[in-house]
Amino acid sequence: MKEIRMVDLVGQYAKIKDEVKEEVNNILESAAFINGPAVHNFQTSLEKYLDVKHVIPCANGTDALQIIMMAYDFPKGSEILVPSYTYVATVEVIALLGFKPVFVEVYPDTFNIDIEDLESKVSENSVAIVPVHLYGQCVDMERLMSVAKTHDLKVFEDTAQAIGAEYTFSDGEKAKAGTIGDAGATSFFPSKNLGAYGDGGAIMTNDDELAAKLRMIVNHGQSKRYYHDSIGVNSRLDSIQAAILNVKLKYLDEYNSARYKVADGYSDSFSNAGWITPPHESQFSTHVYHQYTLKLSDGIDRNGLVDYLASFEIPSMIYYPVPNHLQKAYSYFGYQTGDMPNTEDLCSRVISLPIHTEMSDEQLKFIVDKVHGFQG
Ligand SMILES: *Cc1c(COP(=O)(O)O)cnc(C)c1O
């Protein structure tokens, strides 16, 4: 049996190698390394795939979030509502720009932002909400958008883990993750569902005026060459990565289905185990399973399980061991243990198993058997 990895990028590359090499070679031959036609082609393909008016490519997902927040003239100290249970990047950019992250709980079944808790934390200083479609499943966007509308808040979707996931509104209308709020940010970090062979990111929006502003900010705030209207940054998706992404975008739905099949296999087998809870799938969203994350029941030794799996060369990960409201870097906001019980509880009992596009039935069965073996 092939070595089991959290993500098998080597196996995935083997299948698209010829196509990728040809595209990369075209860039090398043309020397159009920065903002060449490949970047524009990828932008257009992604706009079509997501059914969104504007995609603004940039250097990584963290930049994408930061650039969106730079496009508004929020006063320093403005409050941005964000789940504590997310990758640090979501929170980092808020703090970096001098705003205040106001942490919100998540639902213990979906791991996504708790709408009641969100609304209870809105204040007169609130300016925006950053919902995170964690592990590949959409937040309850219809309810979130309604809270945003009531309180006049902007919505910036962190879609780094959910590219390709689809949300269904109660009237049957569908939209891709990242295209529902005022803007969405995504990441093409290699292990993401649509991964480059290096860093990359993009912003999505249907707002023409915002798109123009974002395009300016990614390019040093430049309106025309050497005329700078606002403070910007230098954040580009390079042509080689764009060319690779354009090849991989064609396979994204296939990749997401392959992930779903693995998750389905896991969940089928774990649903009656008693000591583990498989992920909950919401009615209103598809799940693209960036991560397959289980919850362990009370008294189950998580470190013991990690070591036990490792003894069979099965990797596992804890996403995330420490909630952001209790991270040292953000302690100056004054949060304490006990402030977010659901989030803290999840951090103590989640474990993520390997999931990727290349997993064989044999590997899946091996992992499932070993997990069951842990509790005899
Ligand atoms: C990966 C990730 C990011 C950051 O993306 P980078 O491209 O690594 O900067 C932001 N938010 C979430 C939820 C992520 O998983």
Side-chain angles (χ1 to χ4, degrees), residues 204-221:
M204 297 76 95
T205 184
N206 283 307
D207 179 335
D208 299 339
E209 208 177 309
L210 176 62
K213 209 157 179 188
L214 294 167
R215 285 190 207 291
M216 209 163 81
I217 296 171
V218 295
N219 188 25
H220 299 292

Side-chain angles (χ1 to χ4, degrees), residues 58 77 104 113 131 253 257 260 300 315 359 375:
C58 64
V104 179
I113 195 164
D253 285 343
S257 305
Y260 191 84
I300 302 295
M359 197 181 288
Q375 283 301 94

